[in-house]
Amino acid sequence: MDLNFTQEERNFREEVRSYLAENLPARISDAVRAGGELTKEMMVEWHAILNRKGWLATIWPVEHGGPGWTPVEKYIFEDECCKAYAPRIVPFGLSMLGPVLIKFGNDAQKSTILPRILDGTDWWCQGYSEPGAGSDLASLKTRAVRDGDEWVINGQKTWTTLGQHADKIFCLCRTDPDAKQQAGISFILVDMDAPGVELRPIKLIEGGHEVNEVFFTDVRVPYTNLVGEENKGWTIAKYLLTHERTGIAGVGFSMQALEEVKSLARKVKRNGKPLAQDPLFSARVAQVEIDLEAMKLTNLRMLFKAQQQGAPGPETSILKIKGTVIGQELKDLARRALGPVAAPFPGHITDGNIMFGPEDTAQNAARYFNNRKTSIFGGSNEIQRNILTKTMLEL
Amino acid sequence: MDFSLTEDRRMLQDSLTRYLTEQYPVEHRNKVAYDLPCHDDAKWGELAELGALFALAPEDAGGFGGTGFDISVVFEALGRGITPEPVLGALMASRLLTTAGAEQEALLSGAAKYAVAISEIEAPYELEFIAATASGSGDSITLSGRKSAVYGGQVADVILVAAKNGDKLGVYEVQASDAQIVGYAMMDGGGAAEVMLDATPAKLLIEDGTAALQDAINAGIVALCSEAVGAMDVIHDYTVDYLKQRKQFGVVIGKFQVLQHRAVDMLTEIEQARSIVIKAAAELGGPDATRYASMAKNMIGRAARLNAEEAIQMHGGIAMTWEYPVSHYAKRLIMLDHQLGDTDYHLAKVAAEIAA
Ligand SMILES: Cc1cc2nc3c(=O)[nH]c(=O)nc-3n(C[C@H](O)[C@H](O)[C@H](O)COP(=O)(O)OP(=O)(O)OC[C@H]3O[C@@H](n4cnc5c(N)ncnc54)[C@H](O)[C@@H]3O)c2cc1C
């Protein structure tokens, strides 16, 4: 047992840290710190900066432009990115479609699509969920019918994150309505500007716009936009979901959030003293800190195992459940710490210059509400428990 | 023992609930709630006509209620409709005016809107650390300092302000037009304001006001807790209905036992919350009012958070949307904890008595 990173890993951390210090624009890290929505331009710019260094597609193999990192190096990279308040890498092209094409795509798809993901030409979004198919994804109804060398697509996707910025969407479509649910699904690529695709924004609880509905009416795309085999899309969907779960513990983000809560608690007053001296509040913070300390190790233990076995196992569901709960608890504390001044609706104040609390806390309540999503998407925490029940407990 | 409402209170409850359901439905509520002034003047007048404000004050002060139970009935109805109108300010001001023996016809009829300014950024919940000051005497009293999170302050005509005069904490009346008011819509709807006082002219209402302010806060807590009970009933109904309708994996999700039990836990907390609020309402105005108000606010803080978070979770994505009413109920239930002392603040108050 040795809890230390190797010398190479420590050197790597230094390299990442100094690259970020020199290349992450303050304008972008300030926006991340403030916690509002990032503009598309900021996200694209950040991708380009990482791509220049070859650090964008962190989980792709080297021959397709990945950095060839071990899971531990990837962890270190993400950790440093969090500490530097770098934006999250938008996952749809890089962590989802990329690995899918590398495993299931044909040569033409790999050579045309992957470079366009890397250089930012195409922004992808994920067309999985439908109004009637959330946790039970395999019940999806969006229909794709073959017509000569085209697909004709009709139906609706929903919850499409950042679809408003997207050029393309990868969709799960029903291609054999007579087969058993999972057996009749195909993985098809669609241009967002194809005739018949219509995007409608969904406003979220805190007022933000990050998800959308996407409607398909007689949308025609080339037959060759099929990825993998016809009616074998479910295998791809499942493969993608395991990739979605890497990094799901969000340890780096939680460490960042913990530091913010502590520093906030030292600044705000309760009962004439800094809130950090309030025994009940500090006990709440300490409780999460203990959970997070354990989670860091749980995460590394599972990474280590994945590194040895070559793939993450079902126990990553533990990371999803506990990681999201820790993250949500920290958002709760950041809101709670502000007391009454957590209430103003950002942007709905008659004098925009007035200060309510320490800088960068205006979004704390909004962030708390928005963050409730993390235990719902990417396989809800109930579904993760079902997975663990089946795979680990065999019940 | 009798836990039923008196005939008068039941009628008030029915008429308010019916009015709010029909005339202030959630779509209208959302239009009013998030944009300044966060107030619908016509509806305010109609609520006053129905007696929502007269019910807040005792008969000898010109009202027809004023007990904890009257307050509860009004605010539970407001909570069912997550009504953004500034009734909390009216209630707390009415308590202060009643203590002072001052005229309050304009308040109770809805003709003038009142807000109460106690909280400050460095004294969010506590009277003890208030820093705003009063100086001068008679006709030349002025106030200075910043008051924070003044609920209803964005539309108030009159603001009752807690400020220090030497070692006493007084209550002063300020015309809103004399102060600098920075209004805002709140995360959960409804409005508030920061009130900047800088040698602002004021009239003395209560010279030694600590007890009166504590009574106003206790009444405000009974109101907020009742509001939460109303909102929790609604959010729980939505959740159970959804469990019965939403199908995944070929069955309604209400068939999954893990969700059934959690919906039951929500209900259990609501019933506990309802009980403690009845207790706090019964004690309001009495010697133990502060203790029971703290107990109620602590329990409400916990029950409301559980109900809000579980309602969202068990709905899946849909309750994360602005369009679906549950999101607004959830926001109200969570943000209520930031008003008049949060879960921890009131837990500490109850805990402090153990050693005493
Ligand atoms: C902000 C946000 C962004 C999203 N982004 C995307 C995206 O980009 N692309 C995309 O395709 N999808 C996206 N999603 C959709 C997300 O994956 C779904 O919301 C999720 O799968 C849950 O589905 P649902 O919302 O239909 O809830 P439902 O599946 O209807 O679930 C309702 C409740 O029932 C529970 N439940 C369901 N089945 C069971 C069971 N068998 N046992 C116990 N409990 C159960 C759930 O856990 C939940 O609590 C996003 C969602 C949100 C909220």
Side-chain angles (χ1 to χ4, degrees), chain A residues 126 128-129 134-135 159 161 380 382 386, chain B residues 246 256 313-314 317:
Chain A
Q126 180 188 23
Y128 271 30
S129 305
S135 299
W159 306 120
T161 299
S380 74
E382 289 74 28
N386 288 349
Chain B
R246 172 69 170 171
F256 301 128
Q313 183 67 25
M314 292 202 276

Side-chain angles (χ1 to χ4, degrees), chain A residues 131 205 284 343 348 368 375, chain B residues 34 187 246 309 313 320 344:
Chain A
I205 181 168
R284 284 182 191 269
H348 292 241
Y368 160 82
S375 50
Chain B
Y34 298 99
M187 197 68 230
R246 172 69 170 171
E309 293 185 348
Q313 183 67 25
M320 285 295 298
D344 286 354

Side-chain angles (χ1 to χ4, degrees), chain A residues 92 126-131 133-136 158-161 204 210-211 373 376-383 386, chain B residues 242 246-249 253 256 258-259 262 312-318 320:
Chain A
F92 309 107
Q126 180 188 23
Y128 271 30
S129 305
E130 298 180 3
S135 299
D136 182 15
T158 190
W159 306 120
T160 318
T161 299
L204 285 184
E210 65 182 54
V211 296
K373 70 189 176 191
I376 296 169
F377 66 19
S380 74
N381 285 12
E382 289 74 28
I383 294 301
N386 288 349
Chain B
Y242 197 72
R246 172 69 170 171
K247 276 195 175 165
Q248 290 289 276
F249 304 100
I253 57 175
F256 301 128
V258 66
L259 302 186
R262 283 157 61 185
I312 293 176
Q313 183 67 25
M314 292 202 276
H315 273 85
I318 190 77
M320 285 295 298

Side-chain angles (χ1 to χ4, degrees), chain A residues 26-181:
Chain A
R27 183 171 43 81
I28 295 183
S29 56
D30 286 349
V32 173
R33 202 185 305 257
E37 290 168 48
L38 296 184
T39 61
K40 177 175 183 176
E41 288 65 34
M42 284 181 180
M43 292 186 263
V44 168
E45 183 182 345
W46 178 235
H47 280 199
I49 291 168
L50 289 177
N51 191 39
R52 273 209 306 275
K53 177 79 178 164
W55 285 358
L56 180 58
T58 60
I59 54 177
W60 296 11
V62 181
E63 68 262 36
H64 294 294
W69 288 338
T70 62
V72 172
E73 285 168 329
K74 181 170 174 284
Y75 166 86
I76 291 171
F77 173 74
E78 285 171 358
D79 192 30
E80 287 301 319
C81 283
C82 286
K83 286 189 185 142
Y85 287 89
R88 288 174 203 235
I89 294 175
V90 183
F92 309 107
L94 290 152
S95 314
M96 297 184 184
L97 183 61
V100 159
L101 290 179
I102 289 162
K103 182 146 172 99
F104 299 96
N106 56 36
D107 288 344
Q109 288 167 335
K110 284 185 223 181
S111 62
T112 53
I113 299 171
L114 294 177
R116 293 166 65 96
I117 294 177
L118 281 180
D119 70 14
T121 311
D122 292 333
W123 183 304
W124 285 88
C125 62
Q126 180 188 23
Y128 271 30
S129 305
E130 298 180 3
S135 299
D136 182 15
L137 186 58
S139 69
L140 61 91
K141 291 205 173 71
T142 295
R143 187 83 167 89
V145 179
R146 186 170 182 175
D147 180 19
D149 49 12
E150 286 183 325
W151 292 107
V152 183
I153 303 175
N154 280 285
Q156 185 201 339
K157 295 293 173 183
T158 190
W159 306 120
T160 318
T161 299
L162 301 183
Q164 71 267 35
H165 301 326
D167 306 293
K168 294 167 192 270
I169 179 168
F170 54 88
C171 293
L172 292 177
C173 300
R174 186 151 306 282
T175 39
D176 181 356
D178 302 323
K180 201 182 132 249
Q181 271 196 349

Side-chain angles (χ1 to χ4, degrees), chain B residues 68-86:
Chain B
F69 296 127
D70 299 302
I71 295 166
S72 244
V73 160
V74 170
F75 278 85
E76 197 174 318
L78 295 171
R80 296 191 69 85
I82 42 173
T83 315
E85 295 299 332

Side-chain angles (χ1 to χ4, degrees), chain A residues 130-137 139 159 202-208 211 213 267-273 278 280-281 284 328-329 332 335-346 348-352 354-357 365-366 368-376 380-383 385-386, chain B residues 34-36 119-126 128-129 146 148-149 151 180-189 194 196 246-250 258-259 262 305 308-310 312-323 326-328 330-332 334-335 337-340 342-345 347-348:
Chain A
E130 298 180 3
S135 299
D136 182 15
L137 186 58
S139 69
W159 306 120
I202 296 174
K203 188 171 170 183
L204 285 184
I205 181 168
E206 83 293 352
V211 296
E213 297 179 288
K267 285 181 202 149
V268 301
K269 288 273 183 64
R270 202 68 40 92
N271 289 312
K273 289 183 298 221
D278 179 281
L280 293 174
F281 189 82
R284 284 182 191 269
Q328 292 177 332
E329 200 58 33
D332 175 77
R335 164 181 64 69
R336 199 181 280 274
L338 286 177
V341 295
F345 203 128
H348 292 241
I349 302 164
T350 51
D351 176 354
I354 186 176
M355 290 292 291
F356 286 91
Y368 160 82
F369 288 109
N370 179 278
N371 201 254
R372 301 311 304 172
K373 70 189 176 191
T374 61
S375 50
I376 296 169
S380 74
N381 285 12
E382 289 74 28
I383 294 301
R385 287 185 176 88
N386 288 349
Chain B
Y34 298 99
D35 282 306
L36 288 167
S119 194
E120 296 177 3
I121 287 190
E122 301 224 317
Y125 304 134
E126 322 91 47
E128 203 185 330
F129 297 97
R146 171 176 170 180
S148 190
Y151 303 112
Q180 187 203 338
I181 309 260
V182 177
Y184 48 87
M186 296 192 283
M187 197 68 230
D188 54 327
E194 302 295 293
M196 318 295 183
R246 172 69 170 171
K247 276 195 175 165
Q248 290 289 276
F249 304 100
V258 66
L259 302 186
R262 283 157 61 185
R305 182 181 175 198
E309 293 185 348
E310 288 288 60
I312 293 176
Q313 183 67 25
M314 292 202 276
H315 273 85
I318 190 77
M320 285 295 298
T321 67
W322 188 273
E323 198 179 326
V326 163
S327 63
H328 301 281
K331 283 190 287 185
R332 182 69 196 113
I334 293 289
M335 297 311 291
D337 198 42
H338 294 247
Q339 297 182 272
L340 305 184
D342 67 7
T343 314
D344 286 354
Y345 175 77
L347 181 63

